[in-house]
Structure formats: structure tokens, C-alpha cells
Amino acid sequence: MQFKKYTLLCLLLLASCTASFAQPINPKLFDCIKWRMIGPFRGGRTVGASGDLQHPNIFYIGVSNGGVWKTDDYGRTWNPIFDDQSTGSIGDVAVAPSNSNIVYVASGEGIQRPDLSVGNGMYRSDDAGKTWKYLGLSDGLQIGGISIDPQNPGRVFAAVLGHPYGANAERGVFRTLNGGKTWEKVLYIDENTGAIQVTIDPVSPNIVYADLFAHRLAPWENGEWGGPNSGLYKSTDGGSTWHQLTKGLPGKEDGLNRIGFCVAPSDHKRMYAVVSANEKAGGIYRSDDAGESWTKINSDVRLWERGDDFAELKVDPKNKDIVYDANVVTWKSTDAGKTWTGWKGAPGGDDYHRLWINPSNPDVILLASDQGAGITVNGGETWSSWYNQPTAQLYHVSADNAFPYNVYSGQQESGSVCIASRGNDGAITFRDWHPVNAEEYGYVVADPLDPNIVYGGKISRYDKRTAQSVNISPGITRSGKYRFLRTAPITFSPIDNKTLYYAGNVLFKTSNGGNSWEVISFDLTRDGAEAPDNIGIYKTPELNNMPRRGVIYTIALSPLDSNIIWTGTDDGVIWLTKDGGKNWRNVTPRAITWWSKVSLMDASHTEKNTAYAAVNRIRLDDYKPHIYKTTDAGKTWKEIVKGLPDDPINVVKEDPQQNGLLFAGSEKAVYVSFDDGENWQSLRHNMPATSIRDLVIKDNDLIVATHGRSFWIMDDITPLRDLAAMKKTPKVILYKPQAACRVRWNLNTDTPLPQDEPVGKNPPDGAIIDYYLTSDINSRISLDILNSEGKTIRHYSSADTLYKVPEVNIPLYWIRPQDVLSTRAGSHRFLWDMHYQPLNEAPSFAMNAIYEDTPPAYNSPWVMPGEYTVILTVNRKEYKQKLAVYLDPRVKTSKEDLQANHDISYKCYAMEKKCMKALSKASETARRLKKIGLTDKRRKQADSINAEIDILLGVSENDIKSSPSFGSLKHTLGSIMGNLQSADVAPTLQSKNIFFHTHMRFIETCATWEDIKSASDLLLNN
């Protein structure tokens, strides 16, 4: 009996210990780690556009998954103003015509696309975008249109499209009369029919028009249905009652899909409509009686094709016969829609979505497209650039083995991206990225053995040296034997770097760069067909007999065993082979049903039988997170989602170095688990809400590909690794620093880029040192860097004072903010620039400046590569960590030559310090000698000594060549050191010679000073 009690007590204690360990970690332990955005600055799909009537230079755009942006300089620069909100998926943005401080935002992009992201309702700002209020309509998910009463900013209509993959009641047209405090559903057909556009008559606000759009996306790629209730509606009593406008317009029997319309401000009875329907019925229509009857005026399919994407018409505010049509190209008609001319566009299709025309000056137009937004102030003759908007929609991410490493992906609507993680010029500029000839949709990966060779799309091989590309697909002719969709996975073996895998409905393998392929699986998608229930009214018996549609969506290769391969499909199957593809086993957990997209999988770096799967079920109208883990080769699976909000998960990855550390990306943020998925917590930090489509751990960095905000990097995640390994949290933590690369942050030799030129942020400029304090420290703390001999070479203190910026001849916005060791509670990131203690002199700033990030020019040498010790002292207790410094891998200078450079530079630095000390002492001595009175018998001797001191101080130029001043010596020594430190090379012969001669003159001058000092001391002490 006693034994049973003892056993029970032990079990309870064990459970208690386990429970206390498996808790979320205090985010203050790691909130000092921030994200940096690297670009590219090439715009992505933008569907919201509005201008400010009171301030013609101000415009707003809503980016599909990139938030809301504002310009006050006609599009020269754009700034994000929505980044602290809980969604980045935007369908529309509108400025109140009567009060430009009031801005409404509709979330959920409102375009029925396979890569869409949903939102969570309506927002309002009363201070022109500085702050926001949430207004509800959370279950609408997609709100593609807003209309604000021209006289009453509190009266607003919202076109709510609803769930893209299922039926729901919160859809149709909603109205608020109190600025969004409450909403009333005023136009509703059923749970399958939403609203896509609503417009208040610009002349008579009681007249309101709306387009209802019955549409459902299929769970499989490129599938969709249109319902019977699409159509154009009108209200004449402010939205309380509605009637459908049908006369002259196509109906359901004509395959009516979507109608886009506009009202002419100069004659509100004139309306235009772009109608997506069957080939006979689709076209441009016009009404001259406020929509009561319509006439088809143009059938050109180029004007109305792809109605799911495009349905935007706008009339010139002052001329009812001038109308614009946004489609693949933006078209313009000057004869009331009869004929059209291509007005803006490009080969390949820019894909335009939204127009806003200034009512007072119709030459000023904001145009939003899949490439971003542009503004014209001269009627379309010239446009602002969209290469200043970091809103790229990326699908996946990979990094090569170059230094600095490059980051790759396909960019929706634009092509492909290869961008450096670090720019040579202090920032990541337009010089640091380039396309690599892969298609827009999918994976792009570089050869691990040669970063000049890049594979991407379905599937090409690109050579950076020649910029030539070749299609190496195993199904070049598209015979139908294999199926491929937009994101065909491509990955190299982590063990055999010559082996490349590629997938369609089967898995391919090549070891010769794609010159030939081996099929190593059968069709790994589901056999047969099953239509899920969320299809609803569109579900028919025929759907259960359709041919296979699925594809392999993810490949996970074991880093421990080259024969272990996991695959996941978009129709919901997970397969495992342990013999390199000879035999496959279906290991799908029961919870993963038909069309549960296995978005990404990751094979464990420590356990052969462990793998993780991110499953996105948005196509089943399921918006919950789903991550699965197996530790027994797929025999059993556990869902690991504790701590995650209701938000679909796109990716899960295990840290390659720290067991139990996991990262996940959702439709809104990045998350971290320190206990192998038992608990999750946010790692969003300073990143805006946006869809995280993929992530990768490169060395010590975490890189994410967003689908609307380009690439982001979290530099040095070693504190997260430390926390995952800790059993308990001490009061003070000095995290283990990552090895620091001695790399020159800014090698630009020319004038800087203009401060408003868009650039991505470089990595931190120095060795990263992270520490944590449980509480505020009321005494001084210090940080010391010691070399291998135990000598302190750099000292920092919380009592350090900021250097005073002298009266420089530059605007102060160039200068980098200064940092002082913090004593506040929380985590802190501090940088050591890998130089010796700087000389105490006024800072200067080099010409190659970076906006708000220009450090003072270095006046001390680089330290040598090697091992250093970091000591953090808090409350008299020391905390130590080792820090390795390594040389820029691109530098091939020998250690001996680098040491020679260092040694001469350090001697110059040491002599400079002695010069400064001597100058200070000599000045003080001269001051004391000048105090000797005129009648004092020592005065003549004092004047003689002061004359000699003046030469040392550089005040007198008498015999300067034979007796150099300490000032001139310091200047010469600084020049020698600066020249040597400008490059990691061996000292030149002339550098050695000038150093030798300067050193000798320094010795002579010091000897002269010693003689003068002895004479002055003798005189002053008598």
C-alpha cells in the first residue's frame, strides 16, 4: 500500500514537472529579435485605390496581402499605415469625400483566386491612417467594395462577398449609418450569393447600385462554379429596398457571372457596365436612364474576359463619354464605349484592377494592378513607378550557399526573384536582385554546389553567368502523361547535393541537372474522386466520377537517410518511402480528408521516424490551424496546435540545430514552439500581418516568404535555440553569440542613393550580443570584449554617454541612432563593431551614407579573426560567452598578410592614442607656463619652453619638417591606418616605408617631448 502511494506521488510530481516545463516562454525573453525586410521592391497584386479630394498629392492603396499604403508625394514614395492591425488582406480602401481624415478599409481581397487570403472585416481611421478602429463583419471574410456617402462620412455601404469555399450568411450588401458602430444587412439573396461592388450615386446619394456575385471556388486547383443569382441591383431609398436591373442585360441563361459598373458624375443617368457571361452575351454595356435599360455597345472579349479577376470601369468625372476599362490591359474610350484603345499595359499582362480619378482634375489618375500601383498627373503620358512597393507575392523560399547568401522565389504576376541577403553598399538596393527566368508560381532553388545554377518553375535551369535558361521538364510537350500545378515542388537532397527531386503527380529524380529524369513513384495522389460537402449547392453526382486532379504539393527529404522521402499532396495524402522510392506506404492520418492540402512537410534532423506536416484546409472552408507530427514513421500522428489562433497554417519547419525548436507560418504571422509543438506562441514581432507561405532556416537566420510583403529575415536566432535548451530561466542571460563575420558593411565609394530611394535593410552592422534582464537594474552594467590573451579590447557601460554630433555639413537624417547598453528589464540586442576601442574624438561621416543608418567613420582597427570572450557584468556578477570572429569568406588574403596589416594598423592606432595623450598634456603644461607672471624671473625660460611646445602642438610652423607636431603625426598615422584598413590585403611596400619613417619621427618627437616635459616640470616645481 505504501509502495502504491509512493508511486502515485512520484507520478504526480513528474506530471507537475512536465506541465511546468511545457509552458509558453515569456516573450520578453526574445522580443529584442526583430525582422528586417529585404525586398524586392516590385509591387504585387493591388485591388484597393483611393485619393484624397482635399489633398491632391495624397493617395491610398490596399494590397491583396500587403496591407494599406499611403503616399503624399504622388507616388514617389509609399508608406505602410496598417501594419499593426490583425490582417493584411485588403479588398478596398476609401476616403470620405467630405472629410479626408476619415478612411475606411475593407479586408479580404475580394478576388476569387486560388492563392487568395481572407480578411476579418471592416476598419476605420479618423486621422488619415495614423490609428484604426475595428468595425466588425468578421465572418464576411472577403469585402471587395466600399462606398461612402459624399456628404455624410458615417453612411457607408460594404459589398461582402463571403466565404470563397463555402456558404455563409454574412454576405451581401451591408449599410451603416453611424460610421461602422453597427451594420445592417440591406441586400441579401442567400448564403451562396455575395456582393462584389456597391456604389452610391455621386449626385443623388439615396440612389445606390450593387452587383451580387454568386460564385464558389472548388477545393482543387482551377475549379469554380457560378450560381444563378448574380446580377445588378438598384435602390432609390438609400438602400432600404432594392430591385434588380435586367432590361438589356444578360441573365443566368446567358451564363452571367460578374458585372462591374460605374456612374458618370457629370450625368448620373449615364452608366457603363462590363459584363462577364458567355461568349455571345459578354461585353461592354451602356445605360442612359440610370440603369433601367441597357444596350450592348462592344463585344470585344479583351474588354471583359476573366470576370473573376477584372470588372472595373470608371468614367471621366467631367466628360461622360470618356470611360476607362481595367483588365489585362487598361483601355480607354472617348466615344461613349463604342471603340477602345489600349491606354496602359505591357506584353504579358499587367492585370489592372482598380481606377481612381480625381474629380477636379481628371488627368490625375491612380491605377492599381497586379504589379502594384501607379499615378499619372498628365492623363497617362507618364506614370510613377511600382518598383518602390515591397509587396511581392512570393510562394516559396530557398537560400543558396553563396556569401552573402541569396534568397529565391517565384513572384506571383511578375516572374522570379534572386535577391541578396546583404548588399555591399550598406543596404539591399536595386543592384542586389535580379530575375532568374523561373515562372511566377513556384519554387526556385540554386544548386548547392554551384549558386550560379538555378532551377525553378516547371522546370527550368538558369545560368547566372550567361543569363540563359533551358526547359528541362520531364514533360516538355505536356502530353498529359503527368500533371503539374502552379507550385510544383523542387528540392535538392541534403545528403547527396547532386540529386534533385521534382514532382507532379509522380516523383522525379535527376543526378545530372535535368538532362534526364527517373520516375521513382507511381501516381501518389488519391485514386478516384470525392466532392466535399462545402461545395454545397454545386455538388453533383458527376463530381464523384471526375478524373484525378491532385498533385504532389510537398517533398520532405530526410537529412539523416537519403532513402527516406515523405510526400504530401493537395488532395490530402501523405506517403513515405524508406528505400528511395522502390516501395511506398500511405501514412495519411484519418483527420486528413479529401482535399486537405498538405501544404509543406519537414523531415526531422534528429530522428529518422519523425516528420511534421502543415495542412491547409481553407479549400474545405476550414480556417483552423492544422499541424501534424509523427514519431513512428507515420503509424500514428498527433495534431500539435495548442496556442495557435484560428488561422490556416502553410508551413512548419524544424530547426536543424536545436531539437524541439519549431517554426510555423500561417496566413497572418510566424509562430515558434520551444517544446516540439506542445505549445506555440507568436514570433510576429515587428512584421506586419501577411500570409507566410514558406520559411527556411539558413545557418543562424530565419527567412520567410510572404504572399504580399516580399522577403523578411530574422537575423541570428541563437537566443531561441538557447531558450529551447533551457530547463529554467535565470535572472540574467547572456545568450550564446553566433559566429560573427568580419565583413565591410558599406563598400560604396560614390555618392549615396537619394534618401527616398527604396532599399531593403542590411544585416546588423557587427557582432550580435543578446542579453536578458529579469528586472530593471539600478546600478551600472558593463560589457567587455576580451581577446584570446584575456586583455580587454572593448568596453561598454550603461553609463556611457552619447557622442556629440559636431556641426557637420550634412542633414542629420543620414546619421545612425546611437545605442547604449540598457539596464531595463527585458531582452536586448547589442552590437560590437569588431573594432578596438575608438579614439575619443569628434566623429566624422563618410560620403557613402545610408539614410538614417550612417555610422561614424572608424578610427580604430578591425580585430583579427579568432576567438574572443564576451563578459556581461550585472550586479557585480560576470556572465561569460565565447564569440568567434571569422573573415569575410570572399577574402582570400593569407592569415600572415592579414596579420601584417593588423599589426601595422594597431601600431598606428596605439601611437595615435599616445599623440592624443601628449597633446592633452602639452596643452595643459603650456597653460600652466603662461600663468607665470611677467615679473617672474622664470618668465623668459617659460616663454622658451612654450615656443617648443607650440611646435609640438602644431601652433608654430617653425622648423616643422625637422620637428613634426603631435597633431601632424596623428594625422599621418590616421591616414596610414585608414589606408591599410580600407581593404583586407597585405600592406604595400610604400605603406610599410611611410609607416617606418613616421614611426621614427614619432620616437624622435616623443623624446623631444620628454625633454620639454622634464624642463617644464623642473621650472614649475621651483
Side-chain angles (χ1 to χ4, degrees), residues 50 140 157 160 243 282 286 336 349 387 533 694 735 751 776 797 833 865 932 992 1012:
S50 186
F157 290 84
V160 181
H243 67 279
R286 187 179 72 214
Y387 276 81
D533 291 340
D694 198 359
Y735 293 105
T751 55
D776 290 350
S797 167
D833 57 20
I932 297 176
K992 293 178 181 178
I1012 295 172

Side-chain angles (χ1 to χ4, degrees), residues 568-631:
T569 69
D570 68 340
D571 59 2
V573 189
I574 295 177
W575 292 89
L576 170 65
T577 178
K578 287 192 168 186
D579 54 14
K582 295 175 183 176
N583 296 281
W584 291 86
R585 182 163 58 93
N586 187 330
V587 295
T588 310
R590 291 183 179 180
I592 298 181
T593 59
W594 272 89
W595 300 112
S596 300
K597 183 174 71 178
V598 185
S599 181
L600 274 166
M601 294 188 68
D602 196 32
S604 174
H605 296 76
T606 57
E607 297 290 340
K608 289 184 180 182
N609 291 327
T610 297
Y612 306 87
V615 179
N616 185 323
R617 286 168 50 91
I618 185 176
R619 294 181 180 184
L620 297 175
D621 202 33
D622 176 0
Y623 299 91
K624 295 183 181 299
H626 299 287
I627 302 174
Y628 294 90
K629 170 189 170 184
T630 180
T631 57

Side-chain angles (χ1 to χ4, degrees), residues 855-996:
Y858 294 121
N859 59 14
S860 60
W862 287 98
V863 300
M864 279 290 290
E867 187 173 274
Y868 295 82
T869 301
V870 180
I871 301 179
L872 176 69
T873 304
V874 180
N875 291 331
R876 299 182 181 179
K877 184 177 180 180
E878 292 185 348
Y879 302 84
K880 297 182 180 181
Q881 292 281 7
K882 294 296 184 182
L883 169 61
V885 174
Y886 67 96
L887 187 62
D888 183 336
R890 296 169 295 185
V891 175
K892 304 307 177 184
T893 303
S894 70
K895 183 178 180 180
E896 293 74 19
D897 286 340
L898 195 67
Q899 187 72 55
N901 182 309
H902 167 273
D903 290 350
I904 296 177
S905 297
Y906 186 83
K907 289 174 182 176
C908 289
Y909 162 72
M911 285 188 285
E912 275 196 90
K913 288 201 292 184
K914 290 179 179 178
C915 285
M916 294 175 68
K917 185 176 180 180
L919 284 166
S920 176
K921 184 65 177 176
S923 297
E924 172 63 18
T925 300
R927 185 184 63 79
R928 292 177 64 192
L929 289 170
K930 288 177 182 178
K931 288 183 177 181
I932 297 176
L934 294 174
T935 60
D936 194 309
K937 60 182 180 181
R938 299 175 298 168
R939 179 55 187 261
K940 184 176 181 180
Q941 188 179 356
D943 288 344
S944 176
I945 294 173
N946 263 338
E948 294 183 72
I949 290 177
D950 283 347
I951 294 174
L952 292 181
L953 292 175
V955 176
S956 171
E957 296 184 1
N958 293 336
D959 203 19
I960 187 84
K961 293 182 180 179
S962 60
S963 302
S965 70
F966 279 119
S968 64
L969 277 170
K970 181 186 177 305
H971 177 76
T972 302
L973 290 165
S975 297
I976 296 170
M977 186 189 75
N979 182 61
L980 288 167
Q981 291 285 291
S982 66
D984 300 314
V985 296
T988 61
L989 180 60
Q990 51 269 37
S991 294
K992 293 178 181 178
N993 287 337
I994 188 64
F995 169 73
F996 175 78

Side-chain angles (χ1 to χ4, degrees), residues 64-87:
S64 288
N65 221 317
V68 182
W69 296 69
K70 179 180 180 180
T71 179
D72 60 6
D73 54 13
Y74 290 99
R76 173 68 181 101
T77 60
W78 291 91
N79 295 297
I81 59 172
F82 203 70
D83 284 3
D84 57 347
Q85 299 305 304
S86 59
T87 183

